[in-house]
Amino acid sequence: MLDGASKTVFHLIARSQTFKKLASHYGMRQPSSFARRFIAGETAAEAMEAARAVEAGGMTSTMDLLGESVTSLDKADAATRDYIAVIDAMIASGVGRNVSLKLTQLGLDVDKAMAIDNFRKILGRAEPADFFVRIDMENSPYTEVTLEIFETLWRHGHRQIGVVLQSALYRSENDLGHINALGGRVRLTKGAYKEPKAAAYQKKADVDAAFARMVKTLITTGHYPAIATHDPAMIELTRAIAREHNVAPDRFEFQMLNGVRRDLQTMLVKAGYRVRVYIPFGREWFPYFMRRLGERPANVMFMLRGIFGERGSS
Ligand SMILES: Cc1cc2nc3c(=O)[nH]c(=O)nc-3n(C[C@H](O)[C@H](O)[C@H](O)COP(=O)(O)OP(=O)(O)OC[C@H]3O[C@@H](n4cnc5c(N)ncnc54)[C@H](O)[C@@H]3O)c2cc1C
């Protein structure tokens, strides 16, 4: 998470059309292009290769076919078909059966009932093949509807699904109590979106403090929770709480993003913990990539060096 001035500078860069053009053009062009640090590639084959590499390192993966904020029924239909094709490709390639998706990718902004229908179609293929499907959490205008859709499907007997909570939001601790009572599986994150004061803590210290409280609730009363963070302090805290309450390392998992803190991923595996790596891929990588830049000023420099390096050499 960025604080103060760097956040303002980042948002100015993010709104620049010139920047968007340059980043989109140069980001994935070559195997060494800068966006590939976070994104496995534009094709399913590249994503499977990334998943196999993760699995060879003793970890598991979750596959994310990038896409969000779809604005037409046709595009939502196409995204649904694409997801089903990814599931088929995963079955064929033998990688771990776990995917993550966003409801706006399935048409939530166009028509809620259709988005639910599309989600059910995906579950229709995923569940018989024993996949776990995680609904990613988008920005706060979608929190209520996302949790409502999760709960409705859960109550209809779909038990291979889970949701995400963001400690940045004031409401999340309450939501956690509710989902725990249902028996649902939660991925805990800090939250990747710039949120208004009315909905979310603005200071990193407050987001971290809420994350720490939620870790304690999840480790002691959650249902196979996922602690999704690269923050060494939060990872240490999770381990300490688990030890203190005699919660075995196979009762929860850590999750991290592809390309972020591989050192911590390896360290946790060696220490006997479960680690799942989130593997995003696909042509619609720009918004995801921008959120990763927003989390760390050094990433912006990394990308600018990439753009100017590639321009210089082309
Ligand atoms: C598996 C997974 C799934 C996620 N799903 C969602 C979701 O559905 N909805 C949502 O809103 N957010 C999601 N997130 C993102 C999350 O909300 C945070 O924005 C992100 O994880 C950064 O926060 P952090 O907990 O790592 O801690 P921070 O305090 O932000 O970072 C701690 C340390 O991690 C490293 N780090 C963090 N981010 C980066 C980066 N981009 N590049 C390089 N180093 C970095 C740095 O060393 C940093 O000092 C997900 C994160 C993970 C790991």
Side-chain angles (χ1 to χ4, degrees), residues 4-179:
S6 38
K7 206 174 216 168
T8 310
V9 172
F10 171 74
H11 284 284
L12 283 174
I13 296 177
R15 279 207 296 272
S16 151
Q17 285 307 312
T18 313
F19 162 76
K20 184 171 180 185
K21 263 194 217 142
L22 285 170
S24 305
H25 184 70
Y26 291 107
M28 297 284 284
R29 234 167 42 140
Q30 298 170 8
S32 62
S33 295
F34 54 85
R36 287 183 186 267
R37 164 160 180 213
F38 300 112
I39 294 140
E42 292 195 339
T43 66
E46 288 169 300
M48 303 305 148
E49 204 181 304
R52 274 194 287 267
V54 158
E55 289 172 8
M59 295 174 278
T60 54
S61 61
T62 182
M63 204 66 92
D64 171 33
L65 171 60
L66 291 163
E68 56 198 88
S69 310
V70 155
T71 52
S72 74
L73 296 181
D74 286 352
K75 285 185 180 158
D77 259 359
T80 305
R81 282 195 303 274
D82 288 349
Y83 244 102
I84 291 172
V86 168
I87 288 170
D88 287 340
M90 289 172 73
I91 294 170
S93 80
V95 301
R97 299 186 176 193
N98 192 304
V99 291
S100 296
L101 52 76
K102 292 183 175 55
L103 292 176
T104 66
Q105 185 174 12
L106 306 183
L108 187 58
D109 283 331
V110 190
D111 183 286
K112 180 176 153 190
M114 183 202 59
I116 297 173
D117 202 40
N118 285 340
F119 188 38
R120 283 184 192 277
K121 284 183 193 154
I122 292 172
L123 290 178
R125 183 65 60 94
E127 283 175 337
D130 208 21
F131 271 70
F132 182 78
V133 182
R134 179 79 64 178
I135 310 172
D136 283 346
M137 187 55 83
E138 301 181 64
N139 48 339
S140 57
Y142 298 103
T143 312
E144 184 68 28
V145 66
T146 302
L147 294 179
E148 180 204 314
I149 291 172
F150 166 74
E151 183 169 345
T152 305
L153 289 170
W154 180 267
R155 289 192 188 280
H156 279 92
H158 294 280
R159 295 296 151 88
Q160 298 286 102
I161 59 175
V163 273
V164 178
L165 292 177
Q166 302 150 325
S167 72
L169 301 191
Y170 306 134
R171 59 174 290 162
S172 290
E173 288 179 72
N174 195 34
D175 290 333
L176 175 54
H178 187 71
I179 297 166

Side-chain angles (χ1 to χ4, degrees), residues 1 37-38 136-138 164 166 187 189-193 204 208 211 228-232 255-257 260-261 276 278 291-293 295-296 299:
M1 291 182 66
R37 164 160 180 213
F38 300 112
D136 283 346
M137 187 55 83
E138 301 181 64
V164 178
Q166 302 150 325
R187 173 200 291 155
T189 67
K190 291 187 187 178
Y193 299 85
K204 181 170 165 43
D208 288 354
F211 193 96
T229 184
H230 318 90
D231 182 342
Q255 294 190 353
M256 295 194 206
L257 300 176
V260 180
R261 295 302 306 256
R276 187 177 301 280
Y278 185 100
R291 286 195 289 277
R292 301 294 76 81
L293 291 193
E295 282 154 0
R296 207 165 168 246
N299 289 343

